[in-house]
Amino acid sequence: MVTEKSAIFIIFGGSGDLAHRKLYPSLFRLYKSGFLKDHFAVIGTARRPWSDDYFRETVITSLKDYFDDDEEIMQGFAKHFFYQSHDVNDSEHYIALKNLAAKLDDQFEAGHNRVYYMAIAPRFFGTVAEHINSEGLKTDGYNRLVIEKPFGRDLDSACELNGNISKAFPENDIYRIDHYLGKKMVQDIPNIRATNAKFEEALNNKYVSNIQVTLAEAIGVEDRGGYYETAGVLRDMVQNHIMQIIGAIASDAPEAKEADVIHKNKCDLFGSLKEMTPEQVDKDFVRGQYDTDKLGNEKAYRQEDKVAEDSNIETYTAGKLEFDSKRWSGVPFYVRSGKRMPGKASRIDIVFNSNVTELGIKANTVVTLLIERTDNHSILINGIDYKESGQDFIKFPEEGDFDNAREAYESLIIDILSGDRVHFTLWDELRSTWKYIDTVEERWADQQPDFPNYISGTMGPDAAEMLLERDGNSWIWD
Ligand SMILES: NC(=O)c1ccc[n+]([C@@H]2O[C@H](COP(=O)([O-])OP(=O)(O)OC[C@H]3O[C@@H](n4cnc5c(N)ncnc54)[C@H](OP(=O)(O)O)[C@@H]3O)[C@@H](O)[C@H]2O)c1
């Protein structure tokens, strides 16, 4: 059942790419489905001096890229949009923002609720949070702060950022977005585990040979070279998205529904990540950077806009993670992510060993969970659509569920409006994952990589294949 929500959204970076490509289309879907109806307003803020009318035009223009609804519905939606020119470093502007929010709250009867959304460069997150607090923007309704990635670039910077925002907002009001946690399959994993006793019984070191998580892209960095030069794929994809996917598949007690229990289990899992020596990093982590393609048509990473000619930033990584826990000790978790790979893939491959025959499951069964559908199947077993495989090992959501699934941002915005923090990352989780990633980054910083080391359109450096061959394993997605 759809319950209408009431809030004033203040979107810092309201003229930017994220707001136009993700947030406004998601808000529009919520408007069409009735979650947002009469009692909401959106204030977009950024420095450029736009009028309300011009802002509404930009919103409608971006909606037209995704929807073919009547212009009238879009106009009705856009009437809830207002614009306030604002430099986040300027204290006076927060007073103007506060007054506008109060006026719109009266006009739309928004229940004094505020969602402060940081669709702005990370260096401003702390400044904005502090000003919201010091300039008295908070109301007697709820006041929720939404933070985009990246949350720091190492443990120290993440601690500093967290220190700044937590002076202004209690942890319970902070919603750190990891949009993979908004994806249907990632959200369904606990449910699949809780409702498939045999699968759950097999998810441990007695029955699992290894688990593989792949997030691959066919495209290069495109126009994000400037950002990528400050990050690299390990920070951009592994520290957050891949770790959270592992959290969904490998944490204990998937039947838990309470956010506190779910997060505690995830924290325990990340806390049990086996520490690595620098020599182990050399052995267990591979990095790569794309060269041009075989025909020399595509740009090498070092030829991309805003990328240094001698850049040592990695566009590919593969690694072997291990956990010191009763459940997972001895099971390698192989992860990889890269740009300019042969295709797009977002998947988890769970490779069972021969002990599973005890449970009546075929030896060496591979269960693949597709996080994003790149073909017509949501779930595969041994490469076969589970429905055709004739196995009743696991029951998955129906295909139709996936077709009707909400977009990740839409689902996360509903959670924010409902005060449900299950699908957001907590500070304790980030602390453990950054600590782990820092070990790799620190070792890499001490060494000169031999870049570029893979051809665009290929599976990455050969060392990534050897990482698994060494253990007698191989990548399932190849
Ligand atoms: N784009 C994505 O798909 C995506 C995905 C995941 C995470 N993110 C994160 O989302 C955030 C926004 O990314 P984006 O791609 O939307 O960036 P963007 O297109 O560059 O937008 C930045 C916004 O910030 C505003 N801004 C810049 N300086 C400002 C200042 N001093 N005071 C007030 N406003 C200021 C800009 O407008 P003015 O120039 O008019 O001020 C613009 O509206 C970043 O943290 C990014 O890492 C983005």
Side-chain angles (χ1 to χ4, degrees):
M1 203 189 68
V2 173
T3 312
E4 188 197 350
K5 307 285 180 193
S6 317
I8 304 292
F9 294 83
I10 303 181
I11 302 192
F12 295 89
S15 61
D17 176 70
L18 179 81
H20 281 84
R21 261 186 339 104
K22 297 286 183 194
L23 305 186
Y24 304 150
S26 298
L27 291 172
F28 185 58
R29 280 192 202 93
L30 296 181
Y31 178 73
K32 290 202 300 172
S33 57
F35 280 101
L36 295 175
K37 205 168 157 224
D38 300 321
H39 303 292
F40 80 101
V42 177
I43 304 175
T45 100
R47 290 166 304 178
R48 63 198 79 178
W50 284 355
S51 65
D52 287 344
D53 283 344
Y54 186 77
F55 179 45
R56 289 171 189 162
E57 261 176 52
T58 68
V59 172
I60 290 177
T61 305
S62 33
L63 293 182
K64 285 183 177 163
D65 288 342
Y66 305 95
F67 306 95
D68 50 14
D69 293 87
D70 270 4
E71 172 111 11
E72 214 178 303
I73 301 178
M74 293 185 183
Q75 294 284 1
F77 173 68
K79 277 193 189 136
H80 293 258
F81 279 64
F82 300 82
Y83 187 81
Q84 170 77 50
S85 178
H86 166 104
D87 187 315
V88 293
N89 297 305
D90 185 344
S91 301
E92 275 176 32
H93 280 171
Y94 289 88
I95 307 293
L97 212 48
K98 172 183 169 173
N99 294 337
L100 177 59
K103 186 180 129 207
L104 295 176
D105 203 319
D106 284 347
Q107 185 179 333
F108 290 97
E109 297 174 11
H112 303 184
N113 298 326
R114 300 283 183 273
V115 174
Y116 307 98
Y117 201 115
M118 308 269 199
I120 198 164
R123 67 180 183 285
F124 296 131
F125 292 167
T127 309
V128 175
E130 280 167 30
H131 277 92
I132 290 170
N133 202 31
S134 64
E135 303 312 315
L137 269 75
K138 288 193 188 166
T139 60
D140 56 2
Y142 66 65
N143 290 271
R144 297 178 181 151
L145 183 73
V146 186
I147 306 243
E148 274 292 340
K149 79 168 199 184
F151 199 90
R153 70 181 306 276
D154 53 21
L155 182 57
D156 284 350
S157 56
C159 280
E160 192 186 331
L161 170 58
N162 201 56
N164 290 339
I165 61 171
S166 55
K167 270 185 234 149
F169 283 83
E171 176 73 15
N172 276 348
D173 288 333
I174 302 173
Y175 291 72
R176 297 180 194 82
I177 297 253
D178 183 317
H179 70 276
Y180 273 76
L181 290 177
K183 290 184 188 286
K184 171 116 177 84
M185 174 53 91
V186 179
Q187 294 196 346
D188 272 343
I189 289 172
N191 199 15
I192 291 170
R193 291 178 54 192
T195 53
N196 287 281
K198 213 188 267 184
F199 178 54
E200 180 61 19
E201 196 182 343
L203 268 187
N204 56 59
N205 50 9
K206 184 169 178 199
Y207 300 111
V208 175
S209 157
N210 65 86
I211 294 185
Q212 306 178 9
V213 181
T214 300
L215 300 183
E217 287 181 295
I219 55 172
V221 290
E222 306 209 300
D223 57 0
R224 294 179 72 224
Y227 161 68
Y228 221 73
E229 282 286 275
T230 66
V233 72
L234 188 70
R235 291 187 175 101
D236 192 44
M237 300 298 282
V238 181
Q239 181 273 330
N240 37 35
H241 310 318
I242 287 188
M243 289 291 192
Q244 289 296 330
I245 290 168
I246 291 177
I249 198 72
S251 293
D252 282 344
E255 75 281 0
K257 295 271 181 282
E258 308 77 26
D260 288 354
V261 180
I262 292 166
H263 285 299
K264 183 190 172 300
N265 289 336
K266 230 193 286 176
C267 285
D268 288 349
L269 178 77
F270 296 147
S272 71
L273 271 164
K274 211 164 167 179
E275 286 184 21
M276 287 182 291
T277 60
E279 293 69 31
Q280 242 168 320
V281 172
D282 297 343
K283 213 166 129 247
D284 288 349
F285 272 82
V286 173
R287 58 176 157 163
Q289 186 190 78
Y290 61 80
D291 201 347
T292 180
D293 62 339
K294 283 182 186 137
L295 299 173
N297 290 337
E298 299 278 7
K299 280 184 187 166
Y301 176 69
R302 287 177 178 182
Q303 298 166 332
E304 300 275 16
D305 260 7
K306 300 190 183 145
V307 169
E309 283 172 12
D310 57 352
S311 173
N312 284 337
I313 289 293
E314 82 289 353
T315 61
Y316 176 97
T317 188
K320 171 174 155 179
L321 280 61
E322 289 178 285
F323 295 92
D324 256 332
S325 73
K326 198 164 156 250
R327 183 177 198 135
W328 292 116
S329 156
V331 175
F333 284 65
Y334 302 112
V335 303
R336 67 181 158 168
S337 183
K339 295 202 173 279
R340 289 275 180 80
M341 293 185 66
K344 190 168 167 55
S346 302
R347 53 190 279 154
I348 310 170
D349 297 291
I350 303 160
V351 185
F352 290 96
N353 58 25
S354 53
N355 293 340
V356 283
T357 49
E358 280 176 29
L359 303 176
I361 300 165
K362 217 170 100 205
N364 311 320
T365 286
V366 179
V367 172
T368 298
L369 309 181
L370 296 182
I371 293 161
E372 263 161 46
R373 297 211 311 174
T374 43
D375 53 29
N376 289 328
H377 302 126
S378 50
I379 294 104
L380 313 166
I381 294 182
N382 285 337
I384 302 165
D385 181 350
Y386 76 99
K387 280 186 221 146
E388 291 163 17
S389 75
Q391 299 199 39
D392 60 354
F393 174 28
I394 307 180
K395 292 230 174 341
F396 291 101
E398 291 297 319
E399 291 262 327
D401 289 354
F402 275 80
D403 293 336
N404 300 323
R406 290 197 177 100
E407 289 282 320
Y409 272 95
E410 191 186 342
S411 153
L412 293 173
I413 293 171
I414 293 178
D415 288 347
I416 293 162
L417 292 169
S418 313
D420 182 350
R421 295 174 72 235
V422 167
H423 302 121
F424 298 84
T425 51
L426 258 55
W427 168 238
D428 284 343
E429 298 161 22
L430 287 171
R431 190 173 29 214
S432 299
T433 53
W434 268 127
K435 186 167 165 247
Y436 186 80
I437 293 301
D438 276 2
T439 312
V440 182
E441 291 287 358
E442 280 161 19
R443 180 61 171 175
W444 284 355
D446 286 344
Q447 296 167 328
Q448 184 67 23
D450 187 15
F451 283 170
N453 62 350
Y454 71 100
I455 294 171
S456 281
T458 66
M459 293 301 279
D462 293 343
E465 304 296 322
M466 277 144 26
L467 179 73
L468 275 70
E469 277 170 23
R470 200 180 72 198
D471 298 339
N473 296 321
S474 57
W475 292 109
I476 301 297
W477 184 71
D478 63 356

